[in-house]
Amino acid sequence: MATNNEIEFKQLLTENQYNVIHKTYFNEIEPFKQTNFYIDTPDFDLKDHKSALRIRVKDDYLEMTLKIPAEVGLTEYNFETHIVPELNKPIPEQSLPSEILEQLTKMDIDLIELIILGSLKTERLEKEINGNLLVLDKSTYLDFEDFELEYEVEDYDEGLIQFKSILEKFDMKHEIPANKVQRFFNRKSNLYHN
């Protein structure tokens, strides 16, 4: 188990911006692929708590992660899991790690309602810059594709200055986007209501 405080800055990109940043920073780097399977109740109770539960599949490794808001950034609870994710599959309470179970109980989440609601595939590139991690993502979900730049840092203030400096090189102003799980559920909700 690993618990950590995640501090990262994000910027949604156009496909053209993605390509320019790729060429500038990641030209010699091979991407890797991962798939996130998002878990919530049918009423999106976790989303309402600004939290997210997922199973990430990367190579043959399965990891369950709960992200909840922290004073700065997010607190992540990461555990190896043996749940093989499938769409619309319920998540049995007994298969949840005790620390995640404890956090969900504090949020008063109805554990019987937890179900895998969808998946998002990401092609990811990573590079260390100034001792921090620059990440370039191309994600596909629900017949949609988006592009995102992330900067994972240890120090919020210094990291924000560095991230804004990177964006300025590409004539971009920092705009805080919804995170991947929010974008996924927003699209799912829009498709459901149309």
Side-chain angles (χ1 to χ4, degrees):
M1 192 279 276
T3 303
N4 66 298
N5 191 35
E6 178 184 70
I7 303 171
E8 61 184 11
F9 303 101
K10 299 168 181 271
Q11 180 82 18
L12 281 179
L13 306 170
T14 64
E15 187 171 5
N16 186 52
Q17 290 168 329
Y18 172 91
N19 290 332
V20 172
I21 291 170
H22 184 284
K23 190 174 182 183
T24 304
Y25 288 108
F26 300 96
N27 224 12
E28 305 297 317
I29 298 173
E30 280 296 312
F32 61 89
K33 294 183 175 156
Q34 59 191 30
T35 303
N36 290 342
F37 289 85
Y38 293 119
I39 302 164
D40 205 331
T41 67
D43 293 331
F44 305 114
D45 293 331
L46 275 163
K47 180 180 175 241
D48 290 346
H49 282 86
K50 297 183 177 14
S51 300
L53 183 61
R54 71 167 185 231
I55 295 174
R56 174 171 284 169
V57 180
K58 185 174 156 187
D59 300 324
D60 291 329
Y61 185 73
L62 301 171
E63 181 180 65
M64 181 178 283
T65 300
L66 174 67
K67 293 185 180 194
I68 60 173
E71 224 172 278
V72 176
L74 296 167
T75 301
E76 276 192 357
Y77 298 85
N78 300 299
F79 297 86
E80 183 176 1
T81 186
H82 299 291
I83 298 171
V84 178
E86 296 169 34
L87 292 183
N88 303 314
K89 180 178 184 177
I91 302 298
E93 182 179 335
Q94 64 272 18
S95 66
L96 293 168
S98 59
E99 288 87 345
I100 288 179
L101 194 58
E102 182 182 324
Q103 295 302 320
L104 294 176
T105 303
K106 281 183 192 173
M107 288 184 255
D108 204 24
I109 301 296
D110 186 351
L111 302 172
I112 295 166
E113 293 285 310
L114 289 176
I115 189 168
I116 296 175
L117 294 173
S119 65
L120 178 148
K121 295 179 192 307
T122 299
E123 188 175 283
R124 174 166 282 193
L125 293 147
E126 296 181 342
K127 181 175 186 171
E128 189 177 310
I129 294 182
N130 300 323
N132 296 309
L133 188 65
L134 190 67
V135 177
L136 189 63
D137 284 345
K138 181 194 301 184
S139 297
T140 54
Y141 53 100
L142 303 170
D143 297 321
F144 187 73
E145 185 172 65
D146 71 24
F147 308 90
E148 183 177 40
L149 186 66
E150 295 182 3
Y151 196 49
E152 297 179 11
V153 302
E154 297 293 322
D155 179 88
Y156 181 92
D157 295 325
E158 185 60 34
L160 183 57
I161 291 166
Q162 291 173 6
F163 187 60
K164 286 182 174 180
S165 172
I166 291 167
L167 294 178
E168 284 170 13
K169 290 180 190 174
F170 302 98
D171 293 321
M172 284 188 268
K173 186 174 176 281
H174 185 216
E175 297 173 14
I176 301 168
N179 63 32
K180 282 183 182 70
V181 69
Q182 290 167 329
R183 297 196 309 266
F184 172 86
F185 283 128
N186 288 343
R187 177 143 177 92
K188 188 171 181 75
S189 177
N190 289 339
L191 290 172
Y192 179 76
H193 290 102
N194 287 337

